[in-house]
Amino acid sequence: MNEIRFVDTHTEGEPTRIIVDGGPDLGGGTIRQRVTALKQHADHFRQCVIHEPRGWDAVVGALLCKPTNADCASGAIFFNNAGYLGMCGHGAIGVAVALHHLGIVGLGKHRLETSVGIVEFDLRKPNEVAIGNVPSYRLEKDVQVEVDGFGTVVGDVAWGGNWFFLVGSAPAEIRLENLEILNDASARIRHALWNQGITGSDGAEIDHVEFFGPPQSPDANSRNFVYCPGGQYDRSPCGTGTSAKLACLAADGILKPKETWIQESVIGSRFHASYTPLENDRVSPVIVGTAYVCSEGKLIRQEGDPFKDGIRTPDPLASKMVS
């Protein structure tokens, strides 16, 4: 029998399952090397903690691991129902709050090692965190993609720790009542991007789609809908997606350095975001949000359980994407 200790948090409504103990031995390489080891030799672990009957499609996992950099409070490997994530903004905020809940870190500034670099976070209060995300940038502006049922859709390709296609207008008002329309349009765009050879750097798949519209709160700047790999939507405004948005706003001269951008999510939760400029048209984003501990306990993986590795469901996009 395998017991897996976890802490569940939510960041502005978006869940994170933080694995504290009971994960597989991934060796002592870099975080990126350990992601590869997890993917190649122990992907059943991801499936166990994320998929039903122990998990659910909306949750993002964060496996805590020993950092290679002694200055970091912890390392973290992020994953979801579809695979592995380079960085996860809401997840990093959830990890910071969980580390404090566990007594590993106090209030103040700390560092978290991820597969795409070191992320600095400032635990301002037990439930309020500012994360300094990885350098973000816009790769392409006003990219046109032909989308089945929607015609020509124009958006920007940007990196914020994951690859995004950011669309300035949505096919329906960004609200929970329109989830089916927004999700369907996003999936079609993701299909089209892949099938038409539109990618991030080095051929990386653009697996997140982000729509923007007017906010509902008078003090917010924008409202978004973020489609994630695996077909789920982000309940939070999405930390990496907001970072990608900051990169575009900076490139267009719309948002000044250190000026605050309030990004609303589809459920009305919000991040406060700002940036400082870097070389080569990069920006260093700062995302401020809140997270709360929801539960903690042990997942049990028993031999003989036909679903000890979760109920595996195929990627709904796989059959529609031409290799």
Side-chain angles (χ1 to χ4, degrees):
M1 182 171 67
N2 180 210
E3 294 185 346
I4 302 165
R5 185 182 171 206
F6 73 92
V7 174
D8 280 352
T9 64
H10 82 81
T11 303
E12 306 295 350
E14 179 73 355
T16 308
R17 171 158 288 173
I18 296 115
I19 305 303
V20 179
D21 192 26
D25 182 2
L26 302 175
T30 65
I31 301 296
R32 182 170 292 185
Q33 288 170 334
R34 280 179 267 179
V35 171
T36 300
L38 182 58
K39 184 186 301 185
Q40 294 180 349
H41 305 297
D43 192 57
H44 62 272
F45 174 80
R46 175 190 65 82
Q47 297 172 20
C48 170
V49 301
I50 292 296
H51 290 312
E52 294 180 8
R54 296 167 189 82
W56 66 105
D57 280 349
V59 70
V60 169
L63 173 61
L64 299 186
C65 50
K66 184 177 180 180
T68 61
N69 189 314
D71 292 336
C72 292
S74 180
I77 296 173
F78 294 106
F79 47 84
N80 65 2
N81 62 330
Y84 297 85
L85 303 168
M87 168 54 186
C88 180
H90 93 266
I93 292 173
V95 166
V97 167
L99 290 174
H100 181 264
H101 171 75
L102 294 166
I104 297 172
V105 301
L107 299 181
K109 295 181 179 180
H110 306 277
R111 307 176 87 202
L112 181 70
E113 191 171 354
T114 77
S115 65
V116 294
I118 291 175
V119 173
E120 296 185 350
F121 67 89
D122 184 2
L123 190 63
R124 296 178 174 178
K125 300 176 183 178
N127 300 102
E128 181 181 294
V129 183
I131 61 166
N133 196 13
V134 297
S136 303
Y137 64 98
R138 181 169 66 191
L139 182 67
E140 298 286 349
K141 177 180 171 65
D142 291 340
V143 175
Q144 296 187 5
V145 57
E146 297 302 318
V147 181
D148 182 33
F150 292 92
T152 303
V153 176
V154 179
D156 292 356
V157 175
W159 169 260
N162 296 296
W163 282 107
F164 287 83
F165 191 72
L166 300 94
V167 184
S169 60
E173 186 178 355
I174 298 177
R175 50 193 303 167
L176 288 173
E177 292 84 350
N178 293 327
L179 281 180
E180 185 174 352
I181 297 171
L182 295 166
N183 234 46
D184 177 66
S186 299
R188 289 170 184 259
I189 290 172
R190 182 185 168 195
H191 299 160
L193 290 168
W194 181 257
N195 290 335
Q196 293 170 39
I198 300 170
T199 68
S201 294
D202 300 320
E205 182 190 350
I206 301 168
D207 53 8
H208 291 70
V209 176
E210 189 168 6
F211 290 124
F212 294 91
Q216 291 188 2
S217 299
D219 61 337
N221 296 97
S222 173
R223 192 175 180 94
N224 70 2
F225 173 86
V226 180
Y227 175 90
C228 303
Q232 285 294 311
Y233 72 95
D234 200 324
R235 279 74 171 162
S236 81
C238 186
T240 55
T242 300
S243 296
K245 178 66 172 178
L246 289 175
C248 295
L249 292 168
D252 290 333
I254 295 173
L255 189 71
K256 297 177 182 178
K258 298 187 178 180
E259 186 178 354
T260 298
W261 179 270
I262 300 177
Q263 185 64 63
E264 254 181 13
S265 76
V266 68
I267 68 169
S269 57
R270 53 173 58 190
F271 285 150
H272 289 71
S274 61
Y275 75 91
T276 54
L278 301 173
E279 295 179 347
N280 301 318
D281 297 322
R282 265 64 169 170
V283 301
S284 178
V286 175
I287 309 294
V288 182
T290 58
Y292 295 86
V293 173
C294 302
S295 63
E296 61 180 317
K298 293 179 181 178
L299 301 176
I300 296 175
R301 183 175 176 271
Q302 288 186 311
E303 290 303 321
D305 179 355
F307 301 114
K308 66 180 185 294
D309 296 333
I311 300 171
R312 305 182 189 187
T313 55
D315 183 345
L317 303 186
S319 63
K320 300 179 181 179
M321 297 172 82
V322 178
S323 61

